[in-house]
C-alpha cells in the first residue's frame, strides 16, 4: 500500500522540485522559462512566497516527492492584478 502525504516544503525537497519543474522547462512551453533552474532558484522562490505568508506544498507517495503546489502574488503589471494571487501545481 502506498502512503500519501501532503505537507509544507522543506529544504531537502528543493532538488526533487527542481527535477519536476525542469522536466516541464525542457519539454514544454508552459513555464515560460528559457533555461532550467537550480535548487537554489527553487529555494529563493520558496523563501519569497513564504515571506508573504503564502504556501509551498509537496506531495509524497511512498517516500518520494511526486508533485508540488504553491501560491504567489500576481504580477503587478496590470491594475486588475494588483491584489490577486496565482497558484501553480506540478506533478
Amino acid at each position: 500500500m502506498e502512503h500519501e502525504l501532503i505537507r509544507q516544503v522543506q529544504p531537502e525537497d528543493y532538488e526533487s522540485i527542481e527535477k519536476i519543474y525542469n522536466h516541464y522547462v525542457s519539454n514544454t512551453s508552459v513555464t515560460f522559462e528559457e533555461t532550467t533552474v537550480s535548487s537554489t532558484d527553487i529555494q529563493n522562490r520558496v523563501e519569497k512566497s513564504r515571506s508573504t505568508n503564502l504556501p509551498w506544498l509537496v506531495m509524497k507517495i511512498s517516500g518520494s516527492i511526486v508533485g508540488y503546489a504553491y501560491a504567489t502574488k500576481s504580477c503587478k503589471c496590470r491594475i486588475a492584478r494588483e491584489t490577486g494571487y496565482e497558484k501553480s501545481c506540478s506533478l
Side-chain angles (χ1 to χ4, degrees):
M1 180 165 97
E2 294 183 346
H3 182 252
E4 299 174 6
L5 173 70
I6 296 175
R7 62 163 171 75
Q8 291 287 329
V9 69
Q10 299 171 358
E12 60 267 20
D13 303 328
Y14 299 153
E15 186 175 322
S16 295
I17 293 169
E18 170 196 348
K19 288 177 184 175
I20 293 168
Y21 187 71
N22 283 336
H23 167 79
Y24 292 99
V25 172
S26 297
N27 297 294
T28 74
S29 59
V30 300
T31 67
F32 301 110
E33 300 267 7
E34 295 181 24
T35 59
T36 57
V37 300
S38 69
S39 57
T40 301
D41 295 325
I42 299 298
Q43 176 182 0
N44 292 336
R45 293 174 187 194
V46 169
E47 290 173 357
K48 184 176 180 181
S49 284
R50 284 189 170 164
S51 72
T52 56
N53 294 318
L54 296 172
W56 263 78
L57 305 172
V58 293
M59 181 174 191
K60 289 180 85 170
I61 297 178
S62 298
S64 296
I65 302 293
V66 296
Y68 65 93
Y70 64 91
T72 58
K73 292 284 280 177
S74 289
C75 166
K76 292 190 178 198
C77 55
R78 301 265 190 316
I79 189 97
R81 292 183 164 183
E82 284 185 356
T83 59
Y85 295 90
E86 296 178 6
K87 77 224 169 296
S88 180
C89 180
S90 298
L91 302 173

